[in-house]
Amino acid sequence: MKLNYLEFEQPIAELEEKIEELRNVGTDNEINISEEITRLEAKSQSLTESIFSSLNPWQVAQLARHPQRPYTLDFIELIFTDFDELHGDRYFGDDPAVVGGTARMEGKPIMVIGHQKGRDTKEKVRRNFGMPRPEGYRKALRLMEMAERFRLPIITFIDTPGAYPGIDAEERGQSEAIARNLMAMARLRTPIICTVIGEGGSGGALAIGVGDRVMMLQYSTYSVISPEGCASILWKSAEKAKEAAAALGITSERLKELGLVDEVIDEPLGGAHRNVDRTAEVLKATLVSALEQLEAMPLEELLAKREEKLMAFGNFTIRTK
Amino acid sequence: MSWFEKLIPSKIRTEGKHKKNVPEGLWTKCADCNAILYRVEVERNLEVCPKCGHHMRIGARKRLETFLDPEPREEIGDDLEPVDALKFKDSKKYKDRLTQAQKNTKERDALIVIKGQVKNVPLVAAAFEFRFMGGSMGSVVGERFVRAVNTSVENHIPLICFSASGGARMQEALFSLMQMAKTSAALAVMREKGIPYISVMTDPTMGGVTASLAMLGDINLAEPKALIGFAGPRVIQQTVRETLPEGFQRSEFLLEHGVLDMITDRRDMRDRIAGLLDKLGYSTQKS
């Protein structure tokens, strides 16, 4: 697969192009250029390291939306076995922007649910760019309640620009669907592990994001509003998205610091899309160990801890009268 | 000036624009029917236009003042104050925005909670102050709401919440998003205990507040013609590039689509809520 380079990766892209050219020349040239290629490859590596060691939040946002970033179904295939996709909310329809079903993780049955984006244009449209309608959230809730009945732990993957802002979505109660999930997930009697794998877009992300453990892939983002949306409201210009991204503190590193996420999962150098297998491997190991810890806890304690964690969110001072 | 106007003695001649000669604050104009209204009368009528019934926005304190019985009253969580933990700065510092909002509204944050009574039925009532940064939900709003829920649970008394909010408070970034989870979780506990929660949506109730505490009432009420939704009409318009249907995201539209239980006139609110609570087992007659 040919890599897509982002704007800030252009120096790497140019170097890689040069290496590619040399390789092609190499076959019909008697000069030994393999040394030169090795030298350039090392340079490319160190250039990547240096660029990725100091990414700004806006650059991370672009990585989180990278067109080649692994999506929920990619991770499902690499992490689980025996996935049975379960469809429909039983009220209105089946929303392809949310996928879910039973599967096994190292042999153990689980329920997996995630936002799903499309890879090519046709698929993107079918998946509505990963923006769910109410039926997507209601399907998720149906599956989560089923998981509770059959004592399956729930694993969710978050990757959405946000809940779909459309006429039909509003007509069918987008707000109610999200709110109900928040209320239900707070009390589901089974462990819940949520991982932001790409874009964590506001309420549309949170609607499958309330759990005992909330984790983020290193270059994913989680935010109350998109940097562009925030910029256009507060700065009155979408051009200020870079500033908004910084102010909102949307990166995994910052959110871990603030205590809003529990764990950050490292990605390979250059981002998850550079080595999807490796990313899935690390993610799987983290999921397995998190689940082990949660399952070791008595259910009542698990629920009490979840409540305690939710109630602790917030910053305020108490004025002495 | 027409020949007719020239005939009128200058004393009774008007400029055509009423505003100029009217003393500040004595008269007001209905935004819906354009009737010129006597301010005192509008206030007496709970900020509802006496001519057409249009519900104007009403401040949180005034709302609770007129909703609750005069006695007893106890404010909950008024010792909580917002902090700018993220040092958020856009075109203005969040800290300065807070100071400004506090000065303008005389409130510390956008939610007011009072434990009191309606027709002698003890309950907890909360109201959003829309003039405080658009009634946006940050950490203090979330915490005060949770304390309202907890007070209801501890005392086994109903909770009523009047929402008027633009949604989550951007300046508190992800902390504000998490208030959606926090308030909803508190309501989940309350629901398990079988204590009634009545949500009253007023103009406007949007975004993260609609998609959490506002939609989770055992009974969802709304005032007439209130704008209620998840995404704002402008965002939807930009996304779908279609004209929005007539009355889109108004209370009547939501009622028709099954999201609301009923639409209630502000002037009937006390009676209606007392009547509902009575049937749910919270009556004025003490056993």
Side-chain angles (χ1 to χ4, degrees), chain B residues 162-175:
Chain B
F162 298 91
S163 42
S165 172
R169 186 173 296 168
M170 276 176 287
Q171 290 85 351
E172 291 192 23
L174 205 67
F175 282 106

Side-chain angles (χ1 to χ4, degrees), chain A residues 208-273:
Chain A
I208 59 165
V210 179
D212 303 297
R213 206 50 73 81
V214 178
M215 319 194 293
M216 286 178 80
L217 283 185
Q218 189 179 1
Y219 299 126
S220 64
T221 56
Y222 201 177
S223 181
V224 66
I225 184 169
S226 71
E228 293 91 332
C230 181
S232 70
I233 296 171
L234 292 182
W235 278 264
K236 317 275 178 226
S237 154
E239 308 282 295
K240 297 279 184 187
K242 190 178 161 190
E243 283 81 351
L248 287 166
I250 59 179
T251 63
S252 59
E253 194 188 359
R254 180 87 176 110
L255 294 170
K256 174 83 178 14
E257 240 170 51
L258 293 169
L260 290 162
V261 300
D262 304 307
E263 202 163 341
V264 174
I265 302 158
D266 284 342
E267 293 186 28
L269 181 64
H273 60 285

Side-chain angles (χ1 to χ4, degrees), chain B residues 96-157:
Chain B
D96 297 341
R97 283 186 195 266
L98 279 174
T99 313
Q100 192 62 44
Q102 287 168 342
K103 216 173 117 199
N104 290 347
T105 60
K106 308 268 188 294
E107 302 294 348
R108 310 306 297 170
D109 212 314
L111 186 78
I112 297 167
V113 180
I114 293 178
K115 179 170 169 252
Q117 296 188 346
V118 169
K119 302 193 166 203
N120 297 323
V121 181
L123 49 74
V124 178
F128 279 79
E129 177 52 67
F130 189 73
R131 289 186 308 126
F132 195 106
M133 297 188 75
S136 56
M137 177 159 69
S139 298
V140 170
V141 170
E143 179 68 19
R144 282 191 186 164
F145 187 84
V146 167
R147 293 196 183 183
V149 172
N150 292 345
T151 308
S152 283
V153 171
E154 280 156 26
N155 296 280
H156 281 270
I157 53 176

Side-chain angles (χ1 to χ4, degrees), chain A residues 183 311 316, chain B residues 76-78 80 110-114 124-128 137-153 159-163 179-188 190 197-200 209 212-217:
Chain A
M183 178 146 93
M311 291 308 147
F316 45 79
Chain B
I76 311 275
D78 51 339
L80 300 172
L111 186 78
I112 297 167
V113 180
I114 293 178
V124 178
F128 279 79
M137 177 159 69
S139 298
V140 170
V141 170
E143 179 68 19
R144 282 191 186 164
F145 187 84
V146 167
R147 293 196 183 183
V149 172
N150 292 345
T151 308
S152 283
V153 171
L159 172 67
I160 319 294
C161 179
F162 298 91
S163 42
Q179 302 311 308
M180 294 170 66
K182 177 172 170 170
T183 54
S184 303
L187 287 169
M190 180 162 164
Y197 166 45
I198 298 181
S199 167
V200 186
V209 169
S212 61
L213 60 96
M215 277 294 163
L216 293 174

Side-chain angles (χ1 to χ4, degrees), chain B residues 20 31 59 180 258 277 284:
Chain B
K20 274 188 182 166
M180 294 170 66
L277 291 177
T284 40

Side-chain angles (χ1 to χ4, degrees), chain B residues 168-242:
Chain B
R169 186 173 296 168
M170 276 176 287
Q171 290 85 351
E172 291 192 23
L174 205 67
F175 282 106
S176 66
L177 187 75
M178 292 309 162
Q179 302 311 308
M180 294 170 66
K182 177 172 170 170
T183 54
S184 303
L187 287 169
V189 176
M190 180 162 164
R191 183 169 281 200
E192 281 173 12
K193 309 245 184 218
I195 298 163
Y197 166 45
I198 298 181
S199 167
V200 186
M201 288 167 250
T202 76
D203 186 61
T205 300
M206 302 301 293
V209 169
T210 320
S212 61
L213 60 96
M215 277 294 163
L216 293 174
D218 292 294
I219 296 171
N220 290 339
L221 303 184
E223 288 188 340
K225 291 187 189 155
L227 185 73
I228 301 163
F230 178 64
R234 206 152 23 105
V235 174
I236 296 174
Q237 183 97 56
Q238 280 163 7
T239 309
V240 302
R241 295 174 196 284
E242 282 174 50

